[in-house]
């Protein structure tokens, strides 16, 4: 089973996306901060994800350095954000598997994740 990590400071958007991805047959773990995900990544108990999704809205200035460190792990990272977040140097200069620019729907995010992970079957609407 493919494992996805979601990083989003806001509970409800994170929970809704997690639910949609769970319905798609993925193993999904949510984190409030990029730092929490990075700590889990170095933990011996954590299973490495096949994809990390990061919602950029609400990330602080200090998160840029942590985001850089996460990008250097070699894991595929998908970014979600608006014009302001996507114009930062960290985002423009990083190597990301894909970037979705707002506005987008949960269904669009799920379809992109399924395509990236090559998950077969019917995606929820």
């Amino acid at each position: 089973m493919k494992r996805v990590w979601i990083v989003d400071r806001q509970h409800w958007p994170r929970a809704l996306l997690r639910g949609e991805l769970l319905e798609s047959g993925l193993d999904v773990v949510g984190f409030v901060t990029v730092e929490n995900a990075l700590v889990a990544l170095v933990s011996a108990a954590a299973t490495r994800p096949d994809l990390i999704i990061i919602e950029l809205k609400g990330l602080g200035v200090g998160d840029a350095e942590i985001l850089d460190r996460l990008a250097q792990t070699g894991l595929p990272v998908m970014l979600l954000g608006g014009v302001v977040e996507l114009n930062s140097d960290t985002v423009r200069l990083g190597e990301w598997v894909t970037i979705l620019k707002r506005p987008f729907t949960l269904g669009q995010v799920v379809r992109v994740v399924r395509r990236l992970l090559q998950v077969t079957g019917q995606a929820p609407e």
Side-chain angles (χ1 to χ4, degrees):
M1 179 180 289
K2 300 284 185 168
R3 174 168 279 199
V4 177
W5 286 5
I6 302 170
V7 179
D8 190 337
R9 288 191 185 275
Q10 296 181 358
H11 172 75
W12 284 113
R14 183 178 67 246
L16 290 172
L17 179 55
R18 183 174 183 270
E20 290 290 322
L21 293 173
L22 285 169
E23 285 187 25
S24 289
L26 299 168
D27 181 16
V28 187
V29 178
F31 296 91
V32 176
T33 67
V34 177
E35 185 173 16
N36 294 144
L38 195 57
V39 168
L41 197 57
V42 299
S43 167
T47 303
R48 292 175 69 85
D50 297 293
L51 177 67
I52 300 173
I53 302 170
I54 300 176
E55 169 56 69
L56 296 172
K57 185 177 182 179
L59 289 185
V61 175
D63 291 320
E65 180 182 323
I66 296 168
L67 193 58
D68 281 337
R69 288 182 22 220
L70 189 60
Q72 293 170 9
T73 64
L75 291 169
V77 177
M78 174 179 171
L79 300 180
L80 307 175
V83 173
V84 173
E85 296 96 2
L86 297 179
N87 280 330
S88 75
D89 287 341
T90 300
V91 171
R92 285 184 293 134
L93 301 175
E95 293 189 29
W96 317 107
V97 68
T98 195
I99 298 172
L100 287 183
K101 180 180 171 186
R102 269 195 267 321
F104 49 77
T105 66
L106 278 177
Q108 289 170 319
V109 176
V110 171
R111 282 190 290 281
V112 170
V113 169
R114 291 174 60 85
R115 188 188 75 231
L116 290 171
L117 297 177
Q118 298 179 351
V119 174
T120 58
Q122 184 66 26
E125 291 300 320

